[in-house]
Amino acid sequence: MEDIFQGYKGMALETLKKYSVRVWGKTHIVTTRGEFDGTILPRAENDDDQHIVLKIITGYNIGINVTTIKEMKETGYKKANYKVPEKEFPYTNGQPAVKLFGTGGTIASRLDYRTGAVIPAFSPGELYGSVPELADICNLSTEKVFAVFSENMGPKQYISLAIAIGKEIENGIDGIIIAHGTDTLHHTAAALTYMVQDSPVPIVLVGSQRSSDRPSSDAALNLMHSAVAAGHGDIAEVMVCMFGPTSDEYGFLHRGTRVRKMHSSYRSTFRTLGDTPLATVTRKGVKAIKKQYNHRRKDRNVKILPYFEEKVTILYYYPNMQPDIIDALVDCGYKGIIIAGTGLGHVNKPVYPALKRAVEKGVHIFMTVQTLWGYTHMFVYDTGRDLLSMGIVPLDNMLPEAAYIKLGWTLGQTTKRQEVIDIMQNPINDETTKREPYNGYLLYQGGVPEVEQFVKNFRK
């Protein structure tokens, strides 16, 4: 027998029964706070019994406290189907051939009303079913390589992706898209930058901050932008494609080693740090911002270097850090440590003996700055000079996450100290730069007149 009150219990369930209203019923509700029309949605199994969830005409969901309900009337019924059918992608002569690798994440997700969670649900073929405009941009083939949230991505997945990308390039693909969860997208972008070098075609990682069943979802536009960049763009690098401003005007293409997720929920969360983005992208094309980048080529030559040592970590320094943390890492067999130090690259003196012991035991330790913008300058103060004398190696303006990935990749190839230092300090694709441009650090604060005027003029 079909459950017509899916997930509802207690007071909420009794209210639905009282007015003979079913889940998926189109309903008019009169409350002490006003009248509402919409569709009754299922509740998650662990939710409270105080609210009824209504999807209103705008597409948003609201919760109505049952104690405020004066009257309810079911005006219609249609059970929703949240399954997007897979569609075979149409082939168009003259369009570039693009391969979409699906890994999971919000861009390939829907809402599971049983648990209330966003779950991986769309196959890559379903992505086309939900965004048919992709057919106007390229000839798309798809492959579901993983179905995981990005927090579960790691070295095994990086290596598999690098090898798969190499095979597609060898087979003549014009561009590659990787659909990926946003939380660790920048880690994967850095990994692929190191593992897939001198690509003749664009490799574009794309995600979305909001699931496809939300009216404010960025999934469709991000997919279209990534298809334009992969199929028609001239920039043949590993890039991240996400919203530029919070509006739908354009997307940014970020270099894989200089990008970071900077907000938990904004659609424009990804930002290039210490530099400018590579380009902007719209459905009409790619417009370069940086003058220097790797151009698309017609050859099939690419270097695939799929290596990674997993016993590597980031150590985020904080005041009163104790030396036993470092000793524990060494005892557990860690071979490399990236320190995100304070200021110009500092830690407190009590950890000095532990750092020295670690270096003497062959652990490779490098310094980055937790300020994210700016450089390590370890010759300025005695603290930095002391650390240098112990064998701690500075990494200029490399982002901590990019450094962590690079150290794992490096130690997957060699453990010889000088070779490791040489690889880490020589940039592959701008993970370190000689200088940061004047407009590479823009972090203004609201509330002051000049910023408020700028925001008012820019966002009318």
Side-chain angles (χ1 to χ4, degrees):
M1 183 175 179
E2 184 180 6
D3 180 7
I4 61 173
F5 303 114
Q6 300 171 41
Y8 284 93
K9 58 192 175 185
M11 293 176 60
L13 176 60
E14 293 306 314
T15 303
L16 291 177
K17 289 181 176 180
K18 176 183 177 180
Y19 294 104
S20 299
V21 174
R22 299 166 289 178
V23 167
W24 304 119
K26 295 183 182 300
T27 306
H28 179 74
I29 304 178
V30 179
T31 76
T32 57
R33 302 179 63 183
E35 298 186 15
F36 303 91
D37 290 281
T39 301
I40 303 294
L41 296 181
R43 296 282 345 243
E45 58 191 20
N46 295 320
D47 284 347
D48 64 50
D49 68 344
Q50 304 295 311
H51 296 85
I52 290 172
V53 179
L54 192 73
K55 181 177 282 293
I56 57 178
I57 194 169
T58 61
Y60 285 96
N61 303 341
I62 62 172
I64 298 177
N65 193 306
V66 295
T67 61
T68 69
I69 294 176
K70 298 167 64 178
E71 183 180 342
M72 293 179 69
K73 182 178 181 181
E74 185 176 290
T75 60
Y77 180 84
K78 184 178 180 181
K79 186 174 182 179
N81 178 15
Y82 281 84
K83 172 75 174 177
V84 176
E86 291 200 39
K87 296 181 180 180
E88 184 178 353
F89 205 97
Y91 179 84
T92 304
N93 286 326
Q95 293 277 41
V98 172
K99 183 63 174 276
L100 169 64
F101 287 116
T103 68
T106 304
I107 199 165
S109 298
R110 64 171 173 82
L111 186 64
D112 178 5
Y113 285 106
R114 182 184 65 81
T115 63
V118 176
I119 61 171
F122 294 156
S123 72
E126 289 171 328
L127 290 177
Y128 164 60
S130 64
V131 191
E133 295 91 343
L134 292 170
D136 299 326
I137 301 171
C138 62
N139 291 320
L140 190 71
S141 58
T142 63
E143 181 180 342
K144 187 176 183 179
V145 288
F146 316 115
V148 299
F149 285 128
S150 68
E151 59 265 28
N152 295 318
M153 291 287 288
K156 180 180 177 181
Q157 288 77 23
Y158 305 154
I159 290 170
S160 296
L161 273 174
I163 293 171
I165 289 168
K167 290 179 180 177
E168 288 298 325
I169 292 173
E170 182 181 346
N171 291 335
I173 204 73
D174 294 314
I176 292 170
I177 301 171
I178 300 166
H180 195 292
T182 59
D183 285 358
T184 67
L185 191 151
H186 50 299
H187 293 79
T188 302
L192 293 179
T193 299
Y194 307 138
M195 292 183 180
V196 183
Q197 296 185 25
D198 299 326
S199 171
V201 302
I203 301 168
V204 186
L205 289 93
V206 64
S208 67
Q209 282 288 87
R210 299 174 188 175
S211 57
S212 301
D213 61 346
R214 294 182 60 181
S216 61
S217 175
D218 50 337
L221 194 56
N222 284 341
L223 277 171
M224 286 185 269
H225 286 164
S226 65
V228 170
H232 300 273
D234 183 51
I235 304 174
E237 299 186 12
V238 175
M239 299 172 279
V240 168
C241 177
M242 292 288 288
F243 263 43
T246 55
S247 68
D248 298 352
E249 289 181 42
Y250 57 84
F252 276 140
L253 296 178
H254 303 276
R255 186 159 273 155
T257 58
R258 296 232 59 91
V259 63
R260 195 174 192 272
K261 185 174 183 177
M262 299 300 291
H263 197 280
S264 62
S265 59
Y266 270 25
R267 298 186 300 179
S268 56
T269 177
F270 280 87
R271 287 292 180 260
T272 292
L273 274 61
D275 207 340
T276 61
L278 280 167
T280 59
V281 57
T282 67
R283 293 176 64 181
K284 295 181 179 179
V286 174
K287 184 178 180 180
I289 295 174
K290 293 186 71 66
K291 294 180 179 180
Q292 293 185 339
Y293 55 82
N294 296 327
H295 294 266
R296 180 191 289 273
R297 308 189 311 271
K298 293 184 178 180
D299 65 70
R300 299 288 98 189
N301 300 323
V302 62
K303 291 188 289 186
I304 304 298
L305 305 167
Y307 313 111
F308 205 93
E309 167 55 57
E310 296 192 23
K311 284 291 187 177
V312 174
T313 191
I314 297 178
L315 191 63
Y316 191 96
Y317 173 74
Y318 51 85
N320 198 40
M321 178 175 280
Q322 298 298 306
D324 58 356
I325 291 178
I326 297 164
D327 289 332
L329 290 171
V330 176
D331 292 342
C332 288
Y334 277 79
K335 298 179 181 179
I337 299 173
I338 297 295
I339 299 175
T342 58
L344 301 174
H346 301 147
V347 296
N348 62 355
K349 289 189 175 182
V351 303
Y352 283 11
L355 289 173
K356 187 176 180 181
R357 287 193 296 271
V359 173
E360 289 172 348
K361 290 184 178 181
V363 180
H364 303 270
I365 306 180
F366 293 85
M367 181 67 72
T368 63
V369 292
Q370 57 188 242
T371 57
L372 301 181
W373 281 272
Y375 291 76
T376 55
H377 288 290
M378 298 176 68
F379 289 102
V380 176
Y381 297 104
D382 287 345
T383 300
R385 294 177 184 178
D386 291 341
L387 293 170
L388 287 170
S389 69
M390 295 176 205
I392 312 303
V393 181
L395 290 178
D396 295 334
N397 65 335
M398 195 182 303
L399 298 174
E401 294 90 347
Y404 157 72
I405 294 291
K406 189 173 186 182
L407 184 55
W409 174 75
T410 300
L411 291 176
Q413 301 170 76
T414 181
T415 57
K416 295 181 180 178
R417 178 172 173 79
Q418 193 55 52
E419 289 181 0
V420 171
I421 293 173
D422 290 343
I423 295 174
M424 290 297 293
Q425 290 190 323
N426 284 285
I428 291 167
N429 197 16
D430 278 3
E431 61 268 29
T432 58
T433 59
K434 291 183 178 180
R435 63 179 61 188
E436 290 183 351
Y438 74 93
N439 56 357
Y441 173 72
L442 296 177
L443 196 65
Y444 297 121
Q445 298 285 285
V448 295
E450 60 270 27
V451 174
E452 294 301 320
Q453 185 60 48
F454 170 79
V455 173
K456 182 178 179 181
N457 292 340
F458 190 63
R459 286 285 174 266
K460 296 180 180 179

